[in-house]
Amino acid sequence: MLILYSIAGIFGALLPYYLSRKHQLDAIKASALPSLAVGVIALIVEKSCNAPIAYELALVFYGASFVGMVNYRVLPQYFQVAICGFIFSILYLNASSFFNGFGGGLGTAAGITTIALYGLIKIPVLKRLVLKKDK
């Protein structure tokens, strides 16, 4: 189950990021088009195969697509976006009920994930700046 959620999270983040960078789609269209396609496929699979997990996987893909809306200046590498998508899927599995009532729970989780990874990337840069100021 974790593997399916992780795959949905990684592809949900990477596909909009790729569409935005390589095909110059704006972030909203790059997120909405694949999410719509995955949602329709999930609906068909859920109805025809009686597989309720398809709905959950579509939600993970959709939420991770918010991660893929990140600007390339914030997360410049595809690997970083993939890691964010993976972290998002873990966060969704473990804390999705926590975000009830926040209005945009999927977007909030995607924002937290992106900010956390961005912070981890920038920590070495911040350390170098502080050490230079101390000298």
Side-chain angles (χ1 to χ4, degrees), residues 25-101:
L25 282 175
D26 63 37
I28 295 170
K29 288 177 186 170
S31 171
L33 292 174
S35 295
L36 176 64
V38 168
V40 169
I41 292 168
L43 182 65
I44 292 168
V45 168
E46 184 179 10
K47 297 294 181 187
S48 63
C49 300
N50 196 16
I53 192 170
Y55 173 76
E56 288 291 322
L57 291 175
L59 277 177
V60 172
F61 186 94
Y62 178 62
S65 75
F66 295 146
V67 171
M69 293 172 76
V70 67
N71 191 294
Y72 71 92
R73 290 184 198 107
V74 176
L75 296 178
Q77 299 176 3
Y78 284 95
F79 179 72
Q80 295 168 342
V81 177
I83 293 295
C84 264
F86 175 74
I87 295 170
F88 173 83
S89 62
I90 300 297
L91 185 62
Y92 177 83
L93 274 172
N94 293 309
S96 60
S97 63
F98 175 75
F99 295 111
N100 287 342

